[in-house]
Amino acid sequence: MVRKLKTAVSGLGRMGARHALNFLNRTPRSELVAAFTPDPNELAWAKIHLEPSGVTLYTDYDEMLKHPGLEAVVVATVTTAHAEQAIKAIAADKHVLCEKPLSTSVEVSQSVVDAANRKPHLKVMCGFSRRFDASYRDAFERLDSGAIGRPSVFRSQTCDKLDPSGFFVEYAQFSGGIFVDCNIHDIDLSLWYFGQDSIVKSVVAMGITAVQPELRKYNDVDNGVGVVEFWGGKIAYFYSSRMMAAGQHDMSELIGTEGKVVINANPQSSLVEMHEAGGIRREIPPNYYGRFEYAFVTEANEFTAACLDNTKLPFKLSGAVQAVKIGCALQESLNTGKKIWFDETGRRVEKASL
Amino acid sequence: MVRKLKTAVSGLGRMGARHALNFLNRTPRSELVAAFTPDPNELAWAKIHLEPSGVTLYTDYDEMLKHPGLEAVVVATVTTAHAEQAIKAIAADKHVLCEKPLSTSVEVSQSVVDAANRKPHLKVMCGFSRRFDASYRDAFERLDSGAIGRPSVFRSQTCDKLDPSGFFVEYAQFSGGIFVDCNIHDIDLSLWYFGQDSIVKSVVAMGITAVQPELRKYNDVDNGVGVVEFWGGKIAYFYSSRMMAAGQHDMSELIGTEGKVVINANPQSSLVEMHEAGGIRREIPPNYYGRFEYAFVTEANEFTAACLDNTKLPFKLSGAVQAVKIGCALQESLNTGKKIWFDETGRRVEKASL
Amino acid sequence: MVRKLKTAVSGLGRMGARHALNFLNRTPRSELVAAFTPDPNELAWAKIHLEPSGVTLYTDYDEMLKHPGLEAVVVATVTTAHAEQAIKAIAADKHVLCEKPLSTSVEVSQSVVDAANRKPHLKVMCGFSRRFDASYRDAFERLDSGAIGRPSVFRSQTCDKLDPSGFFVEYAQFSGGIFVDCNIHDIDLSLWYFGQDSIVKSVVAMGITAVQPELRKYNDVDNGVGVVEFWGGKIAYFYSSRMMAAGQHDMSELIGTEGKVVINANPQSSLVEMHEAGGIRREIPPNYYGRFEYAFVTEANEFTAACLDNTKLPFKLSGAVQAVKIGCALQESLNTGKKIWFDETGRRVEKASL
Amino acid sequence: MVRKLKTAVSGLGRMGARHALNFLNRTPRSELVAAFTPDPNELAWAKIHLEPSGVTLYTDYDEMLKHPGLEAVVVATVTTAHAEQAIKAIAADKHVLCEKPLSTSVEVSQSVVDAANRKPHLKVMCGFSRRFDASYRDAFERLDSGAIGRPSVFRSQTCDKLDPSGFFVEYAQFSGGIFVDCNIHDIDLSLWYFGQDSIVKSVVAMGITAVQPELRKYNDVDNGVGVVEFWGGKIAYFYSSRMMAAGQHDMSELIGTEGKVVINANPQSSLVEMHEAGGIRREIPPNYYGRFEYAFVTEANEFTAACLDNTKLPFKLSGAVQAVKIGCALQESLNTGKKIWFDETGRRVEKASL
């Protein structure tokens, strides 16, 4: 009979619950055996949706790690717990899929990489979901085949639907800021598309609070624009927003010397268009899961396959530290107003030569 | 100095007024010298918009034909007067641009062609405006260059915005019916794209009155579907409607053995898109002039150039009779429920061999 | 523990193999226990992809029906075997998901419905995959909520990518013809959107063989246009083709008295657009599975749920007979050149009153 | 008879020739009476295209200003001559339409404004063509009516088709650099949409030479990214490029607190789409005139009308100086690597308080 990977999910909040269901129902080679949450509401949900399928529920993370036969852990708790839980799981000899970012601190992020490096037989991956999205992959294959010449300028945005509930204000307290929380995906894409070994040369960021001025108390904004220059003549520029009226609109374009590849310039939630009195209208996904649902399913399946078959993960963990480093620098530039420079080894300097 | 064509416009209704302004202001090689209308409101309009620019106004068509130096007449009156006025102008040795259709009768249409044939030095053209539209021309050039292989199936629609005023009911009394009034353009396009010498093999049409049941008193419908088979293995199918909510949507697609060319699958009135609470929305033209304004300007300029330079018109007048013939057959099929057959010479028969 | 539906798949050809994998891996509440195929190549494939997961393979359909505990059968063999296998499975007291069409004969199709009616405790469904597609469902909900007023005109097409291998010629021998094989989906959609109890009034069809003249030996064509009039003032018109250059393009639009809903006017296989020397280009799915993959997954899951929970199937089996009836009438009209009429009870007549 | 504005065009290069033909043929209330060029090739062209229509040709600009009855001058020479010619024309009491930018120097630009201010009866306009484009105007009306809430973030790009001839390298010598030459339009749009009295707070720019490294000798780049922060919580960010493979792609989007308006996200040169073996493809305009031809025609007509009727020009001349000021600051930031700050009166400072 087919062998299945015994998996646990830590955290059953918005994203954790989705991971749990994906590893339970949509990852044929995975067997979800355990789940951890300290939250009573999440636990109540799990009793209905997970327990009847044979998933053991834990309210203690360390206990969950001792679940008999457990092989892999999906860390999907709050960002501040990512690194600690990942390191503990590695110490317990489990494969780890950790939600992004590893941490809002470069040093803490690096400590996860260090822990993983000490156990090379384990698969440790940061969950950059767009790396598993069919369209982003299609784009990568095209540029990789030379279809657009030499990649030179990258534009990418992560734009959430306006949520007037104030959720994002409280969330900002621990998110690391809009560049670390939202644009981390776009930063990661720039490293993927420009080459994982690209060295940042300078960053600069600006931002405003157009709809939620209280964000300033956590040094955050609801609209941010950042520019990242890489050594070797490459530029990435980013936009993030918390106030889209129509819905989630994450899009990217990579401009090469011989062409351009664009991902999701025309967002839509289905193939339906309405012709009505106001014109022609189409709807767009209300949130990132509406856009990336199948990317998360693919992520679950590919992580599982890499663990079972001991094959290479699709990308290296160390890149996640680079992304956090750039995100933190953008956040710092936003708050100091200063442009930040790095030398050709990626070390921070006062001012690089142009 | 540059010589200009002395032009007159007959009829200053919706379309006539536009022709007059186009020949006055947007046709550099034309000099609009005269205009005719029997209608007091139209005359009042002309006193403001045409007379100050030196245009002589007439309330008698025959008098207008005698305007000193007049060289060309644009016939834009009601359909029922098209043929008579065109023939009179030809008799008076004027070039003629006649609005479509020449007539709602095949025989009367043919009489215009006969009149024109007797004066080969005159330029006589039927105003099939889509022939002058940049997109339809672009499509023709592509198919003509072989880009889609052998043209085989043509789909085309003429769909008006819903006008709840009841205008279309009264209009139906003289329009010849929806296939002769609206789809005449699509029929003409099928002849252009399949080849002007294409011979109709069979036609069949169906229709409904979804919003204006009173149309039945004039044997008309507000939504019609027609199929035209041509000898030699070609099919055109048409849709016309008077009840579009969003605006005018005229579109066409020509399917060849090696590709397809589509014109206006995604209508829009400008390059603006709105991202708003309901999704992403764009508006579309409210009427055919919103879609084809520049085609009419091109038509005016090219007709003028052909008259002045004695060059070939872009298409033959005789095709206009073929279009009326097919339109009338569709209208008859709609009303009798019968499929109508023609033999390989285009003569009506009881039933052609398949 | 969660109970799972013990399922078998009959036929492991192109579509059967996909059904088998879907019921094995992507239908959490199903347990694929058996599969039948008489074909050695398909059997070899199944030994690799199904047997290791515990699926018992059969080369005798009747034997498979006796598999211990078997509860449901997916019939995905050649069209000519659909009805017989479905009836046998019903007789053996199994739920049945039968690929479309039930048969290319109205009478034989009806016999499946009769068999199902005798066992009301069984779930018997015809696999009209578009009924499970998110976009078609979204469209239905909109019209059902009154967003477009009264549905009046429906246009729908099923257009395959050109396959120069000659596959479609041999396939035509048993497919029932292009209207029964391709447009059956569009016909079913017209019944869904206009109301399942819509009564056909007349049908007419025309077709050509633009790329594969040999199709005529099986009374088939590679491009067909059909019009279906329903009693009560509704018209559906269809197009099917086997010669699309770009890929699969199935699209539909439903025009109501107050708006229009369009499904897939702008096909695409991913969210990627290429800006390159020739302009802006996007690719489209190469075949119907590229377009409808997730509809099939939903179909498997919903069929399974209906069987396990004894809930209503999303649509009635009897509609499948209506679809075959209309498809066969279109095919007959194509081949006789005649328009075919039905009275208000749906009975064939010489000529209905208009 | 209708009175016409006696107009002259200075410079008959690429853009001057188009202005001349527009004022000759497509501006009914203008009479093109004179044209100036020192270039023999341009003069030869003018002898064919302008002289036969009664246009007097001059090889001396000062002589042309003395043309009897001349009322207005269109300055369309090289950028370095714009200001001097404009000031001379003002001194000669002529209305002036001056191509953008007034100058590549803020001070020189201001001197044109000063000259105009001394003659308030004259109409002096800087030719920001996008201000006359139907789509940009439609967008302005929407935001002006409150459709998107408070405008907050503006993104805009001016991207030329790759021209491998090396033209842009020589052109860079006098153009003022990519931000002054290309993004000047986008900067002007930001002032239009955010409010003409918006005060710049900081600017920063980065750029690369991806295809034409020789641009560096003129301190220019072929791809530039700039961010402009305005006092009051508004951000504009710009992209310009000289290496688009598909053609000209100028686009803008304005994000407000309640919605977004996008202009030209989906460029196209006609309404035609090709379905072909590689997918679905549409072409885009090869250059800015392909995109903005009708904007230039509108510009000519509205400028003419304002002169004849002594009505207000659609926008003030002084804004053109603001645009040059921001463009020059971006260009300086590009070349020094520094972020540049301004205080709340728009005065340059070392570092503004955040």
Side-chain angles (χ1 to χ4, degrees):
Chain A
M1 286 294 291
V2 165
R3 188 171 99 70
K4 297 195 171 189
L5 185 75
K6 290 189 192 307
T7 316
V9 170
S10 167
L12 296 172
R14 193 172 54 157
M15 202 55 229
R18 287 165 177 159
H19 277 302
L21 291 175
N22 284 344
F23 276 88
L24 176 64
N25 289 329
R26 302 164 98 180
T27 309
R29 301 182 69 191
S30 147
E31 182 188 357
L32 186 72
V33 295
F36 153 75
T37 176
D39 181 278
N41 290 328
E42 294 177 15
L43 201 65
W45 175 87
K47 280 183 187 296
I48 296 166
H49 292 95
L50 304 181
E51 211 171 50
S53 297
V55 181
T56 307
L57 306 179
Y58 293 89
T59 55
D60 181 313
Y61 181 76
D62 298 325
E63 285 305 308
M64 185 191 75
L65 286 183
K66 297 179 197 151
H67 186 93
L70 181 66
E71 295 170 280
V73 176
V74 179
V75 176
T77 42
V78 288
T79 296
T80 43
H82 285 176
E84 188 195 348
Q85 292 196 354
I87 290 168
K88 276 185 175 179
I90 293 166
D93 230 45
K94 311 299 178 199
H95 304 294
V96 175
L97 167 54
C98 181
E99 260 298 326
K100 63 89 217 170
L102 295 180
S103 160
T104 60
S105 142
V106 179
E107 292 69 29
V108 176
S109 298
Q110 183 60 43
S111 70
V112 180
V113 176
D114 295 341
N117 286 344
R118 285 190 293 270
K119 300 248 188 160
H121 62 289
L122 294 181
K123 306 295 171 190
V124 183
M125 187 167 92
C126 182
F128 285 121
S129 47
R130 292 182 203 179
R131 296 262 192 165
F132 300 93
D133 176 66
S135 296
Y136 277 104
R137 288 182 162 191
D138 180 87
F140 179 78
E141 278 155 32
R142 289 170 194 276
L143 79 94
D144 198 43
S145 73
I148 62 164
R150 195 174 62 256
S152 301
V153 176
F154 182 62
R155 176 171 79 84
S156 197
Q157 70 179 36
T158 298
C159 294
D160 292 338
K161 190 173 168 67
L162 177 68
D163 174 353
S165 73
F167 165 79
F168 279 123
V169 176
E170 286 321 298
Y171 182 73
Q173 199 168 355
F174 303 109
S175 75
I178 202 164
F179 291 105
V180 175
D181 183 52
C182 288
N183 285 133
I184 195 84
H185 286 293
D186 306 292
I187 297 166
D188 177 60
L189 290 171
S190 72
L191 293 168
W192 187 19
Y193 288 172
F194 279 158
Q196 205 66 49
D197 52 350
S198 300
I199 306 290
V200 57
K201 180 177 177 185
S202 74
V203 313
V204 67
M206 302 185 193
I208 57 172
T209 51
V211 284
Q212 287 167 326
E214 321 89 73
L215 281 169
R216 288 311 298 152
K217 71 180 167 196
Y218 302 124
N219 279 326
D220 208 0
V221 291
D222 50 27
N223 284 269
V225 172
V227 189
V228 177
E229 192 182 13
F230 292 96
W231 286 99
K234 294 188 170 100
I235 294 176
Y237 64 114
F238 305 120
Y239 174 52
S240 49
S241 177
R242 304 285 196 191
M243 68 175 203
M244 292 296 106
Q248 186 83 18
H249 189 189
D250 302 340
M251 74 89 66
S252 306
E253 63 180 3
L254 180 63
I255 300 141
T257 48
E258 292 163 31
K260 178 161 84 162
V261 55
V262 187
I263 302 111
N264 202 28
N266 293 291
Q268 56 186 19
S269 52
S270 79
L271 296 171
V272 168
E273 279 189 327
M274 295 298 295
H275 290 231
E276 57 198 9
I280 300 176
R281 182 173 61 86
R282 66 180 191 279
E283 298 175 5
I284 74 173
N287 53 46
Y288 75 98
Y289 201 69
R291 167 67 182 85
F292 291 109
E293 176 178 353
Y294 290 109
F296 285 104
V297 173
T298 302
E299 181 184 85
N301 280 276
E302 294 197 2
F303 171 72
T304 298
C307 295
L308 286 171
D309 304 339
N310 192 21
T311 51
K312 250 177 75 171
L313 288 166
F315 51 95
K316 286 188 193 161
L317 187 63
S318 55
V321 182
Q322 290 308 307
V324 171
K325 175 180 161 184
I326 293 173
C328 288
L330 285 164
Q331 203 72 25
E332 181 185 333
S333 173
L334 167 72
N335 282 308
T336 62
K338 287 187 185 154
K339 188 172 171 184
I340 297 172
W341 294 87
F342 301 85
D343 69 13
E344 283 167 300
T345 69
R347 216 168 5 196
R348 181 104 170 235
V349 290
E350 261 319 285
K351 170 80 168 69
S353 57
L354 289 176
Chain B
M1 287 295 290
V2 164
R3 187 170 99 72
K4 297 196 171 190
L5 185 75
K6 291 189 191 306
T7 317
V9 168
S10 167
L12 296 172
R14 192 171 56 157
M15 201 54 229
R18 289 165 176 158
H19 277 303
L21 292 175
N22 284 344
F23 275 88
L24 176 63
N25 290 329
R26 303 164 98 179
T27 309
R29 302 181 69 190
S30 147
E31 182 189 357
L32 185 72
V33 296
F36 154 75
T37 176
D39 181 278
N41 290 328
E42 293 177 15
L43 201 65
W45 175 88
K47 280 182 186 299
I48 297 166
H49 292 94
L50 305 182
E51 213 171 48
S53 297
V55 180
T56 309
L57 306 180
Y58 293 88
T59 55
D60 180 313
Y61 181 76
D62 298 325
E63 285 305 308
M64 185 191 75
L65 286 183
K66 297 180 197 151
H67 186 93
L70 181 68
E71 295 169 280
V73 177
V74 179
V75 176
T77 41
V78 288
T79 295
T80 43
H82 286 176
E84 188 194 348
Q85 291 196 355
I87 290 169
K88 277 184 174 179
I90 293 165
D93 231 43
K94 312 299 177 198
H95 304 294
V96 176
L97 167 55
C98 181
E99 261 299 325
K100 64 88 215 169
L102 294 179
S103 160
T104 59
S105 141
V106 179
E107 291 69 30
V108 176
S109 298
Q110 183 59 42
S111 70
V112 180
V113 177
D114 295 342
N117 285 344
R118 285 190 293 270
K119 299 248 188 160
H121 62 289
L122 294 180
K123 306 294 170 190
V124 184
M125 187 167 91
C126 181
F128 285 120
S129 47
R130 293 182 201 179
R131 297 260 192 165
F132 299 92
D133 176 66
S135 296
Y136 277 105
R137 287 182 163 192
D138 180 86
F140 179 78
E141 278 154 32
R142 289 170 194 275
L143 79 93
D144 198 43
S145 74
I148 61 164
R150 195 174 63 255
S152 302
V153 175
F154 181 62
R155 175 171 80 83
S156 197
Q157 70 178 37
T158 297
C159 294
D160 292 339
K161 190 173 168 65
L162 176 68
D163 174 352
S165 73
F167 165 78
F168 279 124
V169 176
E170 286 322 297
Y171 182 72
Q173 200 167 355
F174 304 109
S175 75
I178 202 164
F179 291 105
V180 174
D181 184 52
C182 288
N183 284 133
I184 194 83
H185 287 294
D186 308 291
I187 296 166
D188 177 59
L189 290 172
S190 72
L191 293 169
W192 187 19
Y193 288 171
F194 280 157
Q196 206 65 48
D197 52 350
S198 300
I199 306 292
V200 56
K201 180 177 177 185
S202 74
V203 312
V204 67
M206 302 185 193
I208 57 172
T209 52
V211 285
Q212 287 166 325
E214 322 88 73
L215 281 168
R216 288 312 297 152
K217 72 180 166 198
Y218 302 123
N219 279 326
D220 208 359
V221 292
D222 50 28
N223 283 270
V225 173
V227 189
V228 177
E229 193 182 14
F230 291 96
W231 286 99
K234 294 189 170 99
I235 294 177
Y237 65 112
F238 306 121
Y239 174 53
S240 49
S241 177
R242 304 285 196 191
M243 67 176 203
M244 293 295 105
Q248 187 83 17
H249 189 189
D250 301 342
M251 73 89 67
S252 307
E253 63 181 2
L254 180 63
I255 299 142
T257 48
E258 291 163 31
K260 178 161 84 163
V261 56
V262 187
I263 302 110
N264 203 28
N266 294 291
Q268 56 186 19
S269 52
S270 79
L271 296 171
V272 168
E273 279 190 326
M274 295 298 294
H275 290 230
E276 57 199 9
I280 300 176
R281 182 173 61 87
R282 65 181 191 278
E283 298 175 6
I284 73 172
N287 52 46
Y288 74 98
Y289 201 70
R291 166 66 182 88
F292 291 109
E293 177 177 353
Y294 290 108
F296 285 104
V297 174
T298 302
E299 181 184 85
N301 280 277
E302 294 197 2
F303 171 73
T304 297
C307 295
L308 285 171
D309 304 338
N310 192 23
T311 51
K312 249 177 76 170
L313 288 166
F315 51 95
K316 286 188 192 162
L317 186 64
S318 54
V321 183
Q322 289 307 308
V324 172
K325 175 179 161 185
I326 293 174
C328 287
L330 285 165
Q331 203 72 25
E332 179 184 333
S333 173
L334 167 72
N335 282 308
T336 61
K338 287 186 185 154
K339 188 173 172 184
I340 296 171
W341 295 88
F342 301 85
D343 68 14
E344 282 167 300
T345 71
R347 216 167 6 196
R348 181 107 170 233
V349 290
E350 259 321 283
K351 170 78 171 69
S353 57
L354 289 177
Chain C
M1 288 295 289
V2 165
R3 187 171 98 70
K4 299 196 171 188
L5 185 75
K6 289 188 192 309
T7 316
V9 169
S10 168
L12 296 172
R14 193 172 53 157
M15 202 53 229
R18 287 163 177 161
H19 277 301
L21 292 176
N22 284 344
F23 276 89
L24 175 65
N25 289 330
R26 304 165 97 180
T27 310
R29 300 181 70 191
S30 147
E31 182 189 356
L32 186 72
V33 296
F36 154 75
T37 176
D39 181 279
N41 290 328
E42 293 177 16
L43 201 66
W45 176 87
K47 280 183 186 299
I48 297 166
H49 292 95
L50 305 181
E51 212 172 47
S53 297
V55 181
T56 308
L57 306 180
Y58 292 89
T59 53
D60 180 312
Y61 180 75
D62 298 323
E63 285 305 307
M64 185 192 74
L65 286 184
K66 296 179 197 152
H67 186 93
L70 181 68
E71 294 170 279
V73 176
V74 180
V75 176
T77 40
V78 287
T79 295
T80 43
H82 286 177
E84 187 195 349
Q85 292 196 354
I87 290 170
K88 276 185 174 178
I90 293 167
D93 230 44
K94 312 299 177 197
H95 304 295
V96 174
L97 167 54
C98 181
E99 260 299 325
K100 63 89 213 168
L102 294 180
S103 160
T104 59
S105 142
V106 179
E107 292 69 30
V108 175
S109 299
Q110 184 59 43
S111 70
V112 180
V113 176
D114 295 342
N117 285 346
R118 284 189 294 269
K119 300 249 188 158
H121 62 288
L122 294 180
K123 306 295 171 190
V124 183
M125 187 167 91
C126 182
F128 284 121
S129 47
R130 292 182 203 181
R131 296 260 192 165
F132 300 92
D133 177 65
S135 296
Y136 277 105
R137 287 182 162 191
D138 181 87
F140 179 78
E141 278 154 32
R142 289 170 194 276
L143 78 95
D144 197 44
S145 74
I148 62 164
R150 193 174 66 257
S152 301
V153 175
F154 181 62
R155 175 172 79 84
S156 198
Q157 71 179 36
T158 297
C159 295
D160 293 337
K161 190 173 167 67
L162 177 68
D163 174 353
S165 73
F167 165 79
F168 279 123
V169 176
E170 285 322 297
Y171 182 72
Q173 198 167 358
F174 303 108
S175 74
I178 203 164
F179 291 105
V180 174
D181 183 53
C182 289
N183 284 133
I184 194 83
H185 287 293
D186 308 290
I187 296 166
D188 177 60
L189 290 171
S190 72
L191 293 168
W192 186 20
Y193 288 171
F194 279 157
Q196 206 65 51
D197 53 350
S198 300
I199 306 291
V200 58
K201 181 177 177 186
S202 74
V203 313
V204 68
M206 302 184 193
I208 56 172
T209 50
V211 283
Q212 287 166 325
E214 321 87 74
L215 282 168
R216 289 312 297 153
K217 71 180 167 196
Y218 301 124
N219 278 326
D220 208 358
V221 292
D222 49 28
N223 284 269
V225 173
V227 190
V228 177
E229 193 182 13
F230 291 97
W231 286 98
K234 294 189 171 96
I235 294 176
Y237 65 112
F238 305 121
Y239 174 52
S240 48
S241 177
R242 305 282 196 194
M243 67 177 203
M244 292 295 106
Q248 187 82 17
H249 189 189
D250 301 341
M251 73 89 66
S252 306
E253 64 180 2
L254 180 63
I255 298 142
T257 48
E258 292 163 30
K260 177 161 83 163
V261 55
V262 187
I263 302 109
N264 203 29
N266 293 291
Q268 56 185 22
S269 52
S270 79
L271 296 170
V272 168
E273 279 190 326
M274 295 299 294
H275 290 231
E276 56 198 9
I280 299 176
R281 181 173 61 88
R282 65 181 192 281
E283 298 176 6
I284 74 172
N287 53 46
Y288 74 99
Y289 201 70
R291 166 67 182 86
F292 291 110
E293 175 178 354
Y294 290 109
F296 285 103
V297 173
T298 302
E299 181 184 85
N301 279 276
E302 294 197 3
F303 171 73
T304 298
C307 295
L308 286 171
D309 304 338
N310 192 22
T311 51
K312 250 178 74 172
L313 289 167
F315 52 95
K316 286 187 191 162
L317 187 63
S318 54
V321 182
Q322 290 307 306
V324 171
K325 175 179 161 183
I326 293 173
C328 287
L330 284 165
Q331 204 71 27
E332 179 184 334
S333 173
L334 167 72
N335 282 308
T336 62
K338 287 188 184 153
K339 189 173 172 183
I340 296 172
W341 295 87
F342 301 85
D343 69 15
E344 281 167 300
T345 69
R347 217 169 3 196
R348 181 102 172 237
V349 290
E350 260 319 286
K351 169 80 170 69
S353 57
L354 288 176
Chain D
M1 287 295 291
V2 165
R3 187 171 100 71
K4 298 196 171 188
L5 185 75
K6 290 189 193 308
T7 316
V9 169
S10 168
L12 297 172
R14 193 172 54 157
M15 201 55 230
R18 287 163 178 160
H19 277 302
L21 292 176
N22 284 344
F23 276 88
L24 176 63
N25 289 330
R26 302 165 98 180
T27 310
R29 300 182 69 191
S30 147
E31 182 188 355
L32 186 74
V33 297
F36 154 74
T37 176
D39 181 278
N41 291 328
E42 293 177 16
L43 201 66
W45 175 88
K47 281 183 186 296
I48 297 166
H49 292 94
L50 305 181
E51 212 173 48
S53 298
V55 181
T56 308
L57 305 181
Y58 293 89
T59 54
D60 180 312
Y61 180 75
D62 299 323
E63 285 304 307
M64 185 192 74
L65 286 183
K66 297 179 197 151
H67 186 93
L70 181 67
E71 296 170 280
V73 176
V74 180
V75 176
T77 40
V78 287
T79 295
T80 43
H82 285 177
E84 188 195 348
Q85 293 196 355
I87 290 169
K88 277 185 173 177
I90 293 165
D93 230 44
K94 311 299 177 197
H95 304 294
V96 175
L97 166 55
C98 181
E99 261 299 324
K100 62 89 213 168
L102 294 179
S103 160
T104 59
S105 142
V106 179
E107 293 68 31
V108 176
S109 298
Q110 183 59 44
S111 70
V112 180
V113 176
D114 295 342
N117 285 344
R118 285 190 293 269
K119 300 247 188 161
H121 62 288
L122 294 181
K123 306 295 171 191
V124 184
M125 187 166 91
C126 182
F128 285 121
S129 47
R130 292 182 203 180
R131 297 260 191 166
F132 299 92
D133 176 66
S135 296
Y136 277 105
R137 287 181 161 191
D138 180 87
F140 178 78
E141 278 154 31
R142 288 170 194 276
L143 78 95
D144 197 44
S145 73
I148 62 164
R150 195 174 64 256
S152 302
V153 176
F154 181 62
R155 174 171 80 83
S156 198
Q157 72 179 36
T158 298
C159 294
D160 293 338
K161 190 172 167 68
L162 176 68
D163 174 352
S165 73
F167 165 79
F168 280 124
V169 176
E170 285 322 297
Y171 182 73
Q173 199 168 356
F174 304 108
S175 74
I178 202 163
F179 291 105
V180 175
D181 183 52
C182 289
N183 285 132
I184 195 84
H185 287 293
D186 307 291
I187 296 166
D188 177 60
L189 291 171
S190 72
L191 294 168
W192 186 20
Y193 288 172
F194 279 157
Q196 206 66 50
D197 52 351
S198 301
I199 306 291
V200 59
K201 181 178 177 186
S202 75
V203 313
V204 67
M206 301 185 193
I208 56 173
T209 50
V211 284
Q212 287 166 326
E214 322 87 75
L215 282 168
R216 289 311 297 152
K217 71 181 167 196
Y218 301 123
N219 278 327
D220 208 358
V221 292
D222 50 29
N223 284 268
V225 173
V227 189
V228 177
E229 193 181 13
F230 291 96
W231 287 98
K234 294 188 172 99
I235 294 176
Y237 64 113
F238 305 121
Y239 174 52
S240 48
S241 178
R242 304 283 195 193
M243 68 175 203
M244 293 295 106
Q248 187 82 16
H249 189 190
D250 301 341
M251 72 90 67
S252 307
E253 64 181 2
L254 181 62
I255 299 142
T257 49
E258 293 163 31
K260 178 161 83 164
V261 56
V262 187
I263 302 110
N264 202 28
N266 293 292
Q268 56 186 21
S269 52
S270 79
L271 296 170
V272 168
E273 280 191 324
M274 295 298 295
H275 290 231
E276 56 199 10
I280 300 175
R281 182 173 61 88
R282 65 181 191 279
E283 296 175 7
I284 74 173
N287 53 45
Y288 75 99
Y289 201 69
R291 166 67 183 86
F292 291 110
E293 176 178 353
Y294 290 109
F296 285 103
V297 173
T298 302
E299 182 184 85
N301 279 276
E302 295 197 2
F303 171 73
T304 297
C307 296
L308 286 171
D309 304 337
N310 191 23
T311 51
K312 249 178 74 171
L313 288 166
F315 52 95
K316 285 187 193 162
L317 187 64
S318 55
V321 182
Q322 290 307 307
V324 172
K325 175 178 161 184
I326 293 173
C328 287
L330 284 165
Q331 203 72 26
E332 180 184 333
S333 173
L334 166 73
N335 282 308
T336 63
K338 287 188 184 153
K339 189 172 171 183
I340 296 171
W341 294 88
F342 301 84
D343 69 15
E344 281 167 300
T345 69
R347 216 170 4 198
R348 181 104 172 234
V349 291
E350 260 319 285
K351 169 78 171 68
S353 57
L354 288 177

